[in-house]
mmCIF file with all atom_site columns, all heavy atoms in Angstrom:
data_model
loop_
_atom_site.group_PDB
_atom_site.id
_atom_site.type_symbol
_atom_site.label_atom_id
_atom_site.label_alt_id
_atom_site.label_comp_id
_atom_site.label_asym_id
_atom_site.label_entity_id
_atom_site.label_seq_id
_atom_site.pdbx_PDB_ins_code
_atom_site.Cartn_x
_atom_site.Cartn_y
_atom_site.Cartn_z
_atom_site.occupancy
_atom_site.B_iso_or_equiv
_atom_site.pdbx_formal_charge
_atom_site.auth_seq_id
_atom_site.auth_comp_id
_atom_site.auth_asym_id
_atom_site.auth_atom_id
_atom_site.pdbx_PDB_model_num
ATOM 1  N N   . SER A 1 61 ? -23.337 70.275 123.116 1.00 95.00 ? 893 SER A N   1
ATOM 2  C CA  . SER A 1 61 ? -24.696 69.977 123.573 1.00 95.00 ? 893 SER A CA  1
ATOM 3  C C   . SER A 1 61 ? -24.779 69.944 125.097 1.00 95.00 ? 893 SER A C   1
ATOM 4  O O   . SER A 1 61 ? -23.779 69.754 125.787 1.00 95.00 ? 893 SER A O   1
ATOM 5  C CB  . SER A 1 61 ? -25.156 68.637 122.997 1.00 95.00 ? 893 SER A CB  1
ATOM 6  O OG  . SER A 1 61 ? -24.262 67.596 123.369 1.00 95.00 ? 893 SER A OG  1
ATOM 7  N N   . TYR A 1 62 ? -25.996 70.163 125.601 1.00 94.00 ? 894 TYR A N   1
ATOM 8  C CA  . TYR A 1 62 ? -26.285 70.090 127.038 1.00 94.00 ? 894 TYR A CA  1
ATOM 9  C C   . TYR A 1 62 ? -25.444 71.069 127.854 1.00 94.00 ? 894 TYR A C   1
ATOM 10 O O   . TYR A 1 62 ? -24.763 70.698 128.803 1.00 94.00 ? 894 TYR A O   1
ATOM 11 C CB  . TYR A 1 62 ? -26.093 68.656 127.551 1.00 94.00 ? 894 TYR A CB  1
ATOM 12 C CG  . TYR A 1 62 ? -26.772 67.620 126.685 1.00 94.00 ? 894 TYR A CG  1
ATOM 13 C CD1 . TYR A 1 62 ? -26.029 66.759 125.880 1.00 94.00 ? 894 TYR A CD1 1
ATOM 14 C CD2 . TYR A 1 62 ? -28.158 67.538 126.635 1.00 94.00 ? 894 TYR A CD2 1
ATOM 15 C CE1 . TYR A 1 62 ? -26.653 65.832 125.057 1.00 94.00 ? 894 TYR A CE1 1
ATOM 16 C CE2 . TYR A 1 62 ? -28.792 66.614 125.813 1.00 94.00 ? 894 TYR A CE2 1
ATOM 17 C CZ  . TYR A 1 62 ? -28.034 65.765 125.028 1.00 94.00 ? 894 TYR A CZ  1
ATOM 18 O OH  . TYR A 1 62 ? -28.651 64.853 124.203 1.00 94.00 ? 894 TYR A OH  1
ATOM 19 N N   . ASN A 1 63 ? -25.497 72.335 127.444 1.00 95.00 ? 895 ASN A N   1
ATOM 20 C CA  . ASN A 1 63 ? -24.845 73.404 128.191 1.00 95.00 ? 895 ASN A CA  1
ATOM 21 C C   . ASN A 1 63 ? -25.864 74.497 128.502 1.00 95.00 ? 895 ASN A C   1
ATOM 22 O O   . ASN A 1 63 ? -27.075 74.262 128.421 1.00 95.00 ? 895 ASN A O   1
ATOM 23 C CB  . ASN A 1 63 ? -23.645 73.947 127.405 1.00 95.00 ? 895 ASN A CB  1
ATOM 24 C CG  . ASN A 1 63 ? -22.386 73.122 127.638 1.00 95.00 ? 895 ASN A CG  1
ATOM 25 O OD1 . ASN A 1 63 ? -21.781 73.176 128.701 1.00 95.00 ? 895 ASN A OD1 1
ATOM 26 N ND2 . ASN A 1 63 ? -21.991 72.337 126.633 1.00 95.00 ? 895 ASN A ND2 1
ATOM 27 N N   . HIS A 1 64 ? -25.398 75.684 128.870 1.00 93.00 ? 896 HIS A N   1
ATOM 28 C CA  . HIS A 1 64 ? -26.298 76.755 129.305 1.00 93.00 ? 896 HIS A CA  1
ATOM 29 C C   . HIS A 1 64 ? -25.965 78.074 128.600 1.00 93.00 ? 896 HIS A C   1
ATOM 30 O O   . HIS A 1 64 ? -25.872 79.123 129.237 1.00 93.00 ? 896 HIS A O   1
ATOM 31 C CB  . HIS A 1 64 ? -26.202 76.943 130.824 1.00 93.00 ? 896 HIS A CB  1
ATOM 32 C CG  . HIS A 1 64 ? -26.559 75.729 131.615 1.00 93.00 ? 896 HIS A CG  1
ATOM 33 N ND1 . HIS A 1 64 ? -27.851 75.427 131.977 1.00 93.00 ? 896 HIS A ND1 1
ATOM 34 C CD2 . HIS A 1 64 ? -25.794 74.720 132.093 1.00 93.00 ? 896 HIS A CD2 1
ATOM 35 C CE1 . HIS A 1 64 ? -27.866 74.288 132.660 1.00 93.00 ? 896 HIS A CE1 1
ATOM 36 N NE2 . HIS A 1 64 ? -26.630 73.839 132.740 1.00 93.00 ? 896 HIS A NE2 1
ATOM 37 N N   . PHE A 1 65 ? -25.799 78.014 127.305 1.00 92.00 ? 897 PHE A N   1
ATOM 38 C CA  . PHE A 1 65 ? -25.452 79.224 126.573 1.00 92.00 ? 897 PHE A CA  1
ATOM 39 C C   . PHE A 1 65 ? -26.591 80.242 126.618 1.00 92.00 ? 897 PHE A C   1
ATOM 40 O O   . PHE A 1 65 ? -27.753 79.893 126.842 1.00 92.00 ? 897 PHE A O   1
ATOM 41 C CB  . PHE A 1 65 ? -25.115 78.891 125.120 1.00 92.00 ? 897 PHE A CB  1
ATOM 42 C CG  . PHE A 1 65 ? -23.866 78.070 124.963 1.00 92.00 ? 897 PHE A CG  1
ATOM 43 C CD1 . PHE A 1 65 ? -23.933 76.750 124.549 1.00 92.00 ? 897 PHE A CD1 1
ATOM 44 C CD2 . PHE A 1 65 ? -22.627 78.617 125.248 1.00 92.00 ? 897 PHE A CD2 1
ATOM 45 C CE1 . PHE A 1 65 ? -22.789 75.983 124.419 1.00 92.00 ? 897 PHE A CE1 1
ATOM 46 C CE2 . PHE A 1 65 ? -21.474 77.860 125.119 1.00 92.00 ? 897 PHE A CE2 1
ATOM 47 C CZ  . PHE A 1 65 ? -21.555 76.539 124.707 1.00 92.00 ? 897 PHE A CZ  1
ATOM 48 N N   . THR A 1 66 ? -26.222 81.492 126.380 1.00 88.00 ? 898 THR A N   1
ATOM 49 C CA  . THR A 1 66 ? -27.187 82.589 126.370 1.00 88.00 ? 898 THR A CA  1
ATOM 50 C C   . THR A 1 66 ? -27.588 82.891 124.938 1.00 88.00 ? 898 THR A C   1
ATOM 51 O O   . THR A 1 66 ? -26.731 83.013 124.059 1.00 88.00 ? 898 THR A O   1
ATOM 52 C CB  . THR A 1 66 ? -26.575 83.852 127.012 1.00 88.00 ? 898 THR A CB  1
ATOM 53 O OG1 . THR A 1 66 ? -26.139 83.537 128.342 1.00 88.00 ? 898 THR A OG1 1
ATOM 54 C CG2 . THR A 1 66 ? -27.603 84.970 127.071 1.00 88.00 ? 898 THR A CG2 1
ATOM 55 N N   . TRP A 1 67 ? -28.894 83.017 124.717 1.00 84.00 ? 899 TRP A N   1
ATOM 56 C CA  . TRP A 1 67 ? -29.390 83.236 123.362 1.00 84.00 ? 899 TRP A CA  1
ATOM 57 C C   . TRP A 1 67 ? -28.926 84.578 122.818 1.00 84.00 ? 899 TRP A C   1
ATOM 58 O O   . TRP A 1 67 ? -28.994 85.605 123.484 1.00 84.00 ? 899 TRP A O   1
ATOM 59 C CB  . TRP A 1 67 ? -30.908 83.171 123.346 1.00 84.00 ? 899 TRP A CB  1
ATOM 60 C CG  . TRP A 1 67 ? -31.488 83.384 121.979 1.00 84.00 ? 899 TRP A CG  1
ATOM 61 C CD1 . TRP A 1 67 ? -32.080 84.513 121.492 1.00 84.00 ? 899 TRP A CD1 1
ATOM 62 C CD2 . TRP A 1 67 ? -31.513 82.428 120.918 1.00 84.00 ? 899 TRP A CD2 1
ATOM 63 N NE1 . TRP A 1 67 ? -32.475 84.318 120.198 1.00 84.00 ? 899 TRP A NE1 1
ATOM 64 C CE2 . TRP A 1 67 ? -32.138 83.050 119.809 1.00 84.00 ? 899 TRP A CE2 1
ATOM 65 C CE3 . TRP A 1 67 ? -31.066 81.114 120.793 1.00 84.00 ? 899 TRP A CE3 1
ATOM 66 C CZ2 . TRP A 1 67 ? -32.333 82.392 118.602 1.00 84.00 ? 899 TRP A CZ2 1
ATOM 67 C CZ3 . TRP A 1 67 ? -31.261 80.460 119.593 1.00 84.00 ? 899 TRP A CZ3 1
ATOM 68 C CH2 . TRP A 1 67 ? -31.883 81.095 118.516 1.00 84.00 ? 899 TRP A CH2 1
ATOM 69 N N   . ASP A 1 68 ? -28.436 84.551 121.595 1.00 82.00 ? 900 ASP A N   1
ATOM 70 C CA  . ASP A 1 68 ? -28.008 85.757 120.898 1.00 82.00 ? 900 ASP A CA  1
ATOM 71 C C   . ASP A 1 68 ? -28.523 85.663 119.468 1.00 82.00 ? 900 ASP A C   1
ATOM 72 O O   . ASP A 1 68 ? -28.199 84.718 118.747 1.00 82.00 ? 900 ASP A O   1
ATOM 73 C CB  . ASP A 1 68 ? -26.481 85.872 120.916 1.00 82.00 ? 900 ASP A CB  1
ATOM 74 C CG  . ASP A 1 68 ? -25.993 87.105 120.176 1.00 82.00 ? 900 ASP A CG  1
ATOM 75 O OD1 . ASP A 1 68 ? -25.754 87.010 118.954 1.00 82.00 ? 900 ASP A OD1 1
ATOM 76 O OD2 . ASP A 1 68 ? -25.872 88.161 120.814 1.00 82.00 ? 900 ASP A OD2 1
#
Side-chain angles (χ1 to χ4, degrees):
S893 57
Y894 312 108
N895 275 287
H896 300 274
F897 294 110
T898 303
W899 180 257
D900 179 270

